[in-house]
Amino acid sequence: MTTDLSLSTLSQLPQRVSVPSYDRAQLSPGILHIGMGNFHRAHQAAYLDRLFDLGVDHDWAIVGAGVMPFDAERRAMLQAQDWLTTVVELSPETYAARVTGAMIDFCPIDAQAIIQRIADPAIRIVSLTITEGGYFIDAATGEFDAAHPDIRQDAAAPDDPVTVFGILLAGLRQRRERGHPPPTILSCDNIPENGHVTRQALAGLAGLICPEVQGWVMDEVAFPNSMVDRITPATSAAKRTMVAETFGIIDAAPVVCEPFTQWVMEDNFPLGRPSLEKVGVQFVDDIAAYETMKLRILNASHAALSYPAALMGHDCVHDAVADRDIFDWVQQLMRTEVIPVLAPIPGVDYDHYLATCLDRFANPEVRDTIARLCQDGSNRQPKFILPTITDALAQGRPLDGLALEVALWCRYCAESDALDDPRADRLREAARHAQQSPAGFLALTDVFGTLGQQDRFAQAFARQVEAVWNGDARSVLRGFLDRKAA
């Protein structure tokens, strides 16, 4: 028997499904979250749900928000089930479902409605999962891209914004005008120093509108850095069917994820925060080293396995990890070229962390896809791979494997019929000519910045492009491994 998910049907769900023990009618909003995708609902919202289940901090419930066209469909799905989400944790040892209830509302998909929520003094944190490409970073400089057309539009019409940062700034301006202190702005995206990047974007836009407001943003608004981690694939029709058949729940937007979860934050919340340390969140003074570890080992490993796996015909991540050539390639790249450039963290064993990551990738129950990992490479490579190349150059360390990773991405861009990237057309064109002109691919400065002008990297990339185009992906990986073993 299956049951449509709603607040009125929670008592009808099978006993094996965990449900909130708290009274959702007693929750009140404290957080506005922009970007109500799978990751947020499996991660931040799940932590808050567990906290509320302890009987504390019920004034920190979530109000959802979204600015993209697809957010309207997700909002309608969640509204029909009283904003509840089924979170299913899967591994060979775990098959567990919990209905989470930390979100109690979702703004209409309308900039003015979101602005009014931000202006509400009950909202003390505004959090974001807007993807790595949503922060208007100029790859050539690493700074805020003030020339982006959407930013220019918001600067010209600040009361009618189209970007997340325009909406944030409009809400903050209203709070300032009404004499209310600003909320903390908390990025939960996978970008280095995400709090600093968020501050840079918001202050940069403010500077185009009103220098006085820019100074207020820089002086008064808190932007703690955070590091988040949980593998959370997209929800397919097959996953919705699995949730119905296995757990008896008809949920239009369930989330399937791995059991592992991690959240590390700087403790900088002037208007207070929920006591998330009670449910396993780590609060630290400086998050930079933890963040770098995750981006350059876990996320970089995902990138390193995804492109050869796609070229070799793998569909699922666990199948790619089971391929010995891919597994050995990722492990060797991380151990010989990535981990050696990382600053040590007291008490942290990077090799053990890498082994944990690979073990998580091998989880067959999550069925994470290679296609998901290949998405948005032009925004992910500058966050996960290229900084290590920059450090390797500065330290005089080997980078042939890193150059090979970029060359494999290049060939994927040239051959993929479904290149899912905001720069797809330019990437495909440059990649298809890379065999004759490898420098042309590196000349995409909005991806590579000035890195393509570094001779040692440019030469290594040219060598690896030649190898990748003259052989198949498997033979290229084996060649790299043989050279490392020699």
Side-chain angles (χ1 to χ4, degrees), residues 13-84:
L13 298 179
Q15 287 190 343
R16 66 178 302 195
V17 177
S18 177
V19 300
S21 64
Y22 51 89
D23 181 358
R24 290 180 79 239
Q26 299 303 311
L27 299 182
S28 59
I31 299 171
L32 177 82
H33 185 83
I34 303 176
M36 295 301 301
N38 282 13
F39 182 78
H40 167 74
R41 291 181 294 130
H43 192 269
Q44 298 96 31
Y47 275 103
L48 283 161
D49 173 76
R50 293 203 298 274
L51 182 64
F52 297 163
D53 231 32
L54 297 179
V56 298
D57 290 345
H58 288 179
D59 60 336
W60 285 103
I62 299 167
V63 175
V67 300
M68 303 301 289
F70 56 75
D71 286 316
E73 181 181 6
R74 181 174 292 125
R75 182 182 187 276
M77 290 177 176
L78 292 171
Q79 184 176 29
Q81 52 200 49
D82 300 318
W83 317 119
L84 299 168

Side-chain angles (χ1 to χ4, degrees), residues 118 168-183 199 202-203 206 210-223:
I118 296 170
L168 274 173
L169 187 60
L172 292 179
R173 285 166 51 221
Q174 288 200 17
R175 284 177 79 127
R176 180 172 181 263
E177 291 164 3
R178 298 171 187 176
H180 300 310
R199 181 176 187 264
L202 196 61
C210 175
E212 183 180 352
V213 173
Q214 181 186 42
W216 178 80
V217 167
M218 295 180 72
D219 293 341
E220 300 296 331
V221 183
F223 299 90

Side-chain angles (χ1 to χ4, degrees), residues 68 130-140 143 145 148 189-192 197 295 299-300 303 307 372-387 405 409 413 419-424 426-427 441 444-449:
M68 303 301 289
I130 56 175
T131 77
E132 296 89 349
Y135 288 80
F136 299 98
I137 302 168
D138 184 335
E143 302 297 321
D145 183 5
H148 192 284
D189 280 301
N190 277 319
I191 53 177
V197 171
L295 294 171
N299 295 115
Y307 301 113
R372 183 185 78 86
L373 301 190
C374 289
Q375 290 173 348
D376 205 20
S378 69
N379 284 313
R380 293 181 175 185
Q381 291 281 308
K383 311 300 188 301
F384 307 152
I385 299 294
L386 303 188
E405 191 279 342
W409 174 50
C413 291
L419 185 58
D420 187 353
D421 194 288
R423 299 174 176 85
R426 291 192 299 119
L427 283 171
F441 190 72
L444 296 169
T445 55
D446 54 341
V447 177
F448 292 98

Side-chain angles (χ1 to χ4, degrees), residues 192-214:
E193 297 187 310
N194 53 14
H196 297 326
V197 171
T198 306
R199 181 176 187 264
Q200 174 181 272
L202 196 61
L205 176 58
L208 299 175
I209 298 169
C210 175
E212 183 180 352
V213 173
Q214 181 186 42

Side-chain angles (χ1 to χ4, degrees), residues 69-111:
F70 56 75
D71 286 316
E73 181 181 6
R74 181 174 292 125
R75 182 182 187 276
M77 290 177 176
L78 292 171
Q79 184 176 29
Q81 52 200 49
D82 300 318
W83 317 119
L84 299 168
T85 291
T86 309
V87 177
V88 179
E89 297 180 359
L90 298 180
S91 75
E93 298 79 29
T94 304
Y95 248 72
R98 176 170 175 82
V99 174
T100 63
M103 183 173 72
I104 58 172
D105 198 3
F106 197 134
C107 292
I109 311 303
D110 172 77

